Amino acid sequence: MLLLIIRAIYILICVGALATFAFTQNSGAPPFVEAHPVASFSVMLLIMLSILLIDVLIPRKRVEVISAIYFGLLIGVLLTYLLNLALAPLFAMLESMNAEGAAFRGAVTLMAILMMPYVCITFLLQTKDQFRFVIPYVEFSRELKGGSPMVLDSSALIDGRIADLIDTNIVETQFIVPSFILQEVQDIADSQDKIRKSRGRRGLDVLKRLQQDPKVEIKVHETIEDREKTVDQKLVDLCIEINGRLVTNDVNLNKLAGVQGVDVVNLNDVANALKPRFIPGEQLRIRIIKDGEGQGQGIGYLDDGTMVVVENGTREMGKEVDTVVTSVLQNSAGRMIFSKLADGHV
């Protein structure tokens, strides 16, 4: 919205200034401009608007508003002054050759004073993390904790394990929650379905917990609404724009981001990496609580929720038994352990 306002003000100023220059008598315009005011006005306005078109085509970025406007105006005016100094010999030569040199100097100065501040302001508005204000031996830049920022999706917030992970002090980076993800979690929390409502409220509670944690820097990133893109694609585009990593436990989103070159932190992979490793031949003591899909299979669970499939375990239903690991199946969706009854239960 701020960029739209600046662009609208820029167009109005250009139209007013150029109209005054082209159509007002004794404005100091060159004879050609006075003889063809409409054509001259149109050409100069087209040049001004071409800068606006170039700006619109540049990928949108963000920066602190006040500093961008201040430094943009300052640098724009400075560049205009330097441009006039650089062209001063040319203007002097034109003035010595004919009387139109001073008029051309005024035209170039007007166009430069309109173009330079606008270009500088919009450039700073669209460069946030990349902008650095450098003077000799001193560099002022935005400080970020850790590496590239992590973008949280709704599944990561609702899951809640990200908060527990941060409490371990092994993660030190900025976390970003896009505004459309916050709206999605809010919509889930307002659902009429009790389970969805509970999940949505848990996501909001996790976000509040993260915001109150002094060890983590979390920011709600305002984005322009785009109804033509899915939420998953908007997440991927945001990660590409800010060079961030995506935090999720959604398998399909994981694949979509991976295809487009975005680094993904899958919470299921993190949890699996921290689970105890079991190799074939190791013994496990497990309580069989239900039947499996295969004939005679029994199902039990470890303390961390890992499913253990016990061959011929149905006859020991409801009991704690010793089993021997035969194989382990692990992927981003979770981990399953296949085992058989130990010799004493055969």
Side-chain angles (χ1 to χ4, degrees), residues 139-157:
E139 178 178 358
F140 300 95
S141 63
R142 180 173 175 271
E143 292 185 359
L144 285 176
K145 293 181 178 180
S148 58
M150 291 186 174
V151 180
L152 302 178
D153 81 331
S154 56
S155 65
L157 287 174

Side-chain angles (χ1 to χ4, degrees), residues 125-162:
L125 280 173
Q126 295 176 79
T127 54
K128 185 177 183 180
D129 299 331
Q130 292 78 17
F131 171 67
R132 278 177 162 79
F133 179 65
V134 183
I135 59 176
Y137 306 106
V138 181
E139 178 178 358
F140 300 95
S141 63
R142 180 173 175 271
E143 292 185 359
L144 285 176
K145 293 181 178 180
S148 58
M150 291 186 174
V151 180
L152 302 178
D153 81 331
S154 56
S155 65
L157 287 174
I158 292 173
D159 180 278
R161 287 179 292 180
I162 187 64

Side-chain angles (χ1 to χ4, degrees), residues 286-301 308-323 341 345:
I286 194 78
R287 177 183 294 275
I288 301 176
I289 61 175
K290 64 178 182 179
D291 294 329
E293 295 183 358
Q295 183 177 3
Q297 287 182 342
I299 301 296
Y301 294 91
V308 180
V309 180
V310 183
E311 182 181 350
N312 297 323
T314 53
R315 62 187 183 185
E316 304 290 343
M317 188 73 64
K319 300 179 182 178
E320 285 193 1
V321 295
D322 292 321
T323 65
L341 294 172
H345 294 278

Side-chain angles (χ1 to χ4, degrees), residues 103-310:
F104 280 109
R105 179 196 292 266
V108 172
T109 302
L110 174 63
M111 296 177 66
I113 200 64
L114 291 175
M115 291 170 53
M116 293 300 184
Y118 173 78
V119 171
C120 293
I121 290 174
T122 55
F123 175 77
L124 295 184
L125 280 173
Q126 295 176 79
T127 54
K128 185 177 183 180
D129 299 331
Q130 292 78 17
F131 171 67
R132 278 177 162 79
F133 179 65
V134 183
I135 59 176
Y137 306 106
V138 181
E139 178 178 358
F140 300 95
S141 63
R142 180 173 175 271
E143 292 185 359
L144 285 176
K145 293 181 178 180
S148 58
M150 291 186 174
V151 180
L152 302 178
D153 81 331
S154 56
S155 65
L157 287 174
I158 292 173
D159 180 278
R161 287 179 292 180
I162 187 64
D164 298 329
L165 184 64
I166 293 173
D167 286 341
T168 62
N169 295 321
I170 66 173
V171 179
E172 186 179 3
T173 187
Q174 183 189 53
F175 289 88
I176 293 178
V177 180
S179 57
F180 57 84
I181 290 296
L182 182 59
Q183 183 61 49
E184 182 182 19
V185 176
Q186 181 64 54
D187 292 341
I188 296 175
D190 293 337
S191 173
Q192 298 299 322
D193 185 271
K194 290 184 178 180
I195 296 179
R196 282 178 55 84
K197 178 182 290 187
S198 176
R199 287 167 55 84
R201 289 181 176 177
R202 181 172 61 184
L204 294 176
D205 291 340
V206 170
L207 177 57
K208 183 178 180 181
R209 175 181 169 186
L210 293 177
Q211 290 176 326
Q212 294 176 345
D213 192 338
K215 299 189 297 295
V216 62
E217 179 185 356
I218 188 162
K219 174 184 177 182
V220 176
H221 185 86
E222 297 294 336
T223 56
I224 297 178
E225 186 175 359
D226 187 351
R227 298 183 181 275
E228 296 181 358
K229 295 182 179 180
T230 64
V231 172
D232 288 356
Q233 187 58 54
K234 287 191 286 187
L235 276 169
V236 173
D237 290 346
L238 177 60
C239 290
I240 294 175
E241 179 183 340
I242 65 175
N243 192 29
R245 293 170 289 171
L246 180 61
V247 181
T248 182
N249 59 4
D250 188 322
V251 176
N252 293 328
L253 178 56
N254 192 341
K255 293 179 180 179
L256 176 65
V259 168
Q260 301 186 50
V262 174
D263 293 333
V264 180
V265 178
N266 190 303
L267 294 178
N268 291 328
D269 290 341
V270 175
N272 290 336
L274 298 177
K275 288 179 180 179
R277 297 290 181 177
F278 295 97
I279 60 176
E282 283 193 76
Q283 288 197 351
L284 285 177
R285 187 165 183 82
I286 194 78
R287 177 183 294 275
I288 301 176
I289 61 175
K290 64 178 182 179
D291 294 329
E293 295 183 358
Q295 183 177 3
Q297 287 182 342
I299 301 296
Y301 294 91
L302 299 179
D303 293 339
D304 59 13
T306 301
M307 179 186 292
V308 180
V309 180
V310 183

